[in-house]
């Protein structure tokens, strides 16, 4: 079974004015679709991997045959990261998380504002292309970190709870070089109920 492009859970224009319609179209239909196509093309060479989930594949890249390992790392990462990123955003969203996630963020980072500030700084500090994440460690603790290119927290033994794409393709049409403005706007799209679900997973 080949991996399939997951449709956006909302219309392209739903995240306006924070994320513009054209960016969502290109990001989903072109960039994300290309990762999906290229992941499937790589896996076709090794049919024994066909019944594995993308999470299984990315959790232990050393098991992946060497001739497709780089392609799987980049395109499998792109497939997985974007698949969860679409769900981490929603229209009429943003604000602050409540419940057990709100409490966990407060105890790990002091306050929600301090958490936000640290994630924002981590996203700004990523040189070139990549992601900034809030992930859960194996010991249950929360961690803010960044990955380069399409590397995923899964490959580092971490479970991603919230992530933000800081590739230029995610913001350049509307924000050009102003990554900070994109990030400030992006907080208004965070789908906390979904993030809470990942936290409980
Ligand atoms: Mn992207």
């Amino acid at each position: 079974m080949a991996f399939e492009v997951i449709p956006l859970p909302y219309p392209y224009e739903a995240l306006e004015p924070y994320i513009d319609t054209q960016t969502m179209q290109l990001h989903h239909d072109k960039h994300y679709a290309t990762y999906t196509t290229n992941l499937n093309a790589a896996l076709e060479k090794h049919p024994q991997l066909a019944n594995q989930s993308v999470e299984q594949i990315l959790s232990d890249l050393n098991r992946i045959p060497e001739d497709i390992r780089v392609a799987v790392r980049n395109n499998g990462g792109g497939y997985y990261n974007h698949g969860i990123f679409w769900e981490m955003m929603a229209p009429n969203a943003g604000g602050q998380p409540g419940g057990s996630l709100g409490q966990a963020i407060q105890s790990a980072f002091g306050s929600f504002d301090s958490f936000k500030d640290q994630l924002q700084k981590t996203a700004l500090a990523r040189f070139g292309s990549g992601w900034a994440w809030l992930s859960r460690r194996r010991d249950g603790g929360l961690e803010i970190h960044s990955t380069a290119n399409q590397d995923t927290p899964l490959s580092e033994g971490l479970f991603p709870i919230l992530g933000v794409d800081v590739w230029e393709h995610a913001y350049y049409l509307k924000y050009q070089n102003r990554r900070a403005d994109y990030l400030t706007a992006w907080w208004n799209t965070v789908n906390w109920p979904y993030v809470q679900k990942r936290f409980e997973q």
Side-chain angles (χ1 to χ4, degrees), residues 43-121:
L43 292 175
E44 260 172 34
K45 296 173 193 157
H46 294 275
Q48 79 275 15
L49 296 169
N51 56 358
Q52 300 213 1
S53 70
V54 70
E55 289 88 349
Q56 285 172 318
I57 288 169
L58 294 169
S59 292
D60 190 1
L61 286 167
N62 289 325
R63 282 185 311 114
I64 304 304
E66 222 179 324
D67 62 317
I68 62 164
R69 195 176 297 150
V70 172
V72 168
R73 177 177 172 175
N74 291 335
N75 296 291
Y79 178 74
Y80 176 76
N81 290 342
H82 287 89
I84 61 177
F85 183 55
W86 310 134
E87 301 232 44
M88 287 167 177
M89 299 185 288
N92 309 312
Q96 292 193 24
S100 56
L101 175 60
Q103 282 168 11
I105 285 176
Q106 203 164 359
S107 65
F109 306 105
S111 67
F112 179 72
D113 285 343
S114 153
F115 155 73
K116 213 173 141 177
D117 189 53
Q118 285 181 53
L119 186 65
Q120 179 113 353
K121 280 192 177 126

Side-chain angles (χ1 to χ4, degrees), residues 5-24:
V5 169
I6 302 161
L8 274 186
Y10 38 76
Y12 297 113
E13 65 273 19
L15 304 180
E16 294 268 10
Y18 309 115
I19 313 288
D20 61 287
T21 306
Q22 195 187 5
T23 293
M24 291 305 293

